Amino acid sequence: MINKKVFDAMNEQIKNELESAYIYLSMVGYFHSQNLDGMAHWMRVQVHEETIHAMKFFDHLISRGASVTLLNLKQIKTKWKNPMEPWQDAYAHEQFITAKIHALLKIARKENDYTAEPLLAWFVNEQIEEENNTDKVCRQLEMVGDSKEGLFMLDRELGTRVYPAGSCFDPAAYNLVQ
Ligand code: OFO
């Protein structure tokens, strides 16, 4: 049986991860509207990853005999002024998620929930990549500046992102996402 405080924090983290997916899906729509199909593709892959993140917490709670209660997703942003803005928002959002994961680990440690630690350790590591990925694109867009050719090249590169896993609802896919 899972401790109530750990349950509440993990149950809320399911919402946070699904909100990540929802935010990035909104960005997919924006990037397509700007003919930046490579960036849209990168974000589509990210939507899959975020759904897997949510499902990792979802399945962890289920396997510990808890009953998941899905919370409302908040209204999200749908418009951005330029291609840089969504990436800046994504980086800020990933920093927010990192803080949530760290807070969750703190609760688990305080409640002596050793069972939750391996899962949370995975997320602590994952957040290094999550922050770095989005921050790196911000820095690359800064380098590109006003160059349309540069934006075109970067968009092409981001369009090559490979999604290694299958369905985001298939537990077998979880291990394929690093
Ligand atoms: Fe789930 O890591 Fe991004 O938000």
Side-chain angles (χ1 to χ4, degrees), residues 12-13 17 19 35 61 64 67-68 78 105 107 163 170:
E12 193 196 326
Q13 193 59 22
E17 300 290 348
E19 265 173 9
N35 296 314
L61 289 179
R64 295 182 70 184
S67 171
V68 171
T78 54
L105 182 57
I107 294 168
Y163 176 61
D170 175 7

Side-chain angles (χ1 to χ4, degrees), residues 17 20 24 46 50 53 93-94 97 123 126-127 130:
E17 300 290 348
S20 300
Y24 297 143
Q46 194 60 28
E50 297 301 354
H53 293 172
H93 182 71
E94 289 306 330
I97 292 290
F123 274 99
E126 174 69 4
Q127 281 311 117
E130 294 285 88

Side-chain angles (χ1 to χ4, degrees), residues 73-167:
L73 301 184
K74 71 172 177 221
Q75 183 61 46
I76 48 151
K77 196 165 162 180
T78 54
K79 290 186 175 47
W80 289 270
K81 284 201 281 280
N82 53 53
M84 170 71 102
E85 261 196 358
W87 292 102
Q88 287 171 329
D89 285 355
Y91 178 44
H93 182 71
E94 289 306 330
Q95 289 175 301
F96 163 78
I97 292 290
T98 301
K100 287 287 182 186
I101 296 289
H102 291 181
L104 224 172
L105 182 57
K106 202 169 172 185
I107 294 168
R109 286 195 170 156
K110 192 159 172 242
E111 302 302 320
N112 297 325
D113 187 343
Y114 305 113
T115 308
E117 285 226 15
L119 176 71
L120 295 173
W122 185 91
F123 274 99
V124 168
N125 270 326
E126 174 69 4
Q127 281 311 117
I128 296 171
E129 188 194 63
E130 294 285 88
E131 287 193 22
N132 185 42
N133 280 346
T134 44
D135 181 38
K136 192 186 280 176
V137 178
C138 290
R139 283 185 272 127
Q140 287 171 332
L141 280 167
E142 263 165 30
M143 275 183 335
V144 161
D146 291 331
S147 160
K148 291 230 181 320
E149 292 87 347
L151 180 61
F152 183 77
M153 295 291 286
L154 181 56
D155 183 62
R156 285 217 140 171
E157 192 197 313
L158 291 169
T160 63
R161 184 178 184 188
V162 173
Y163 176 61
S167 162

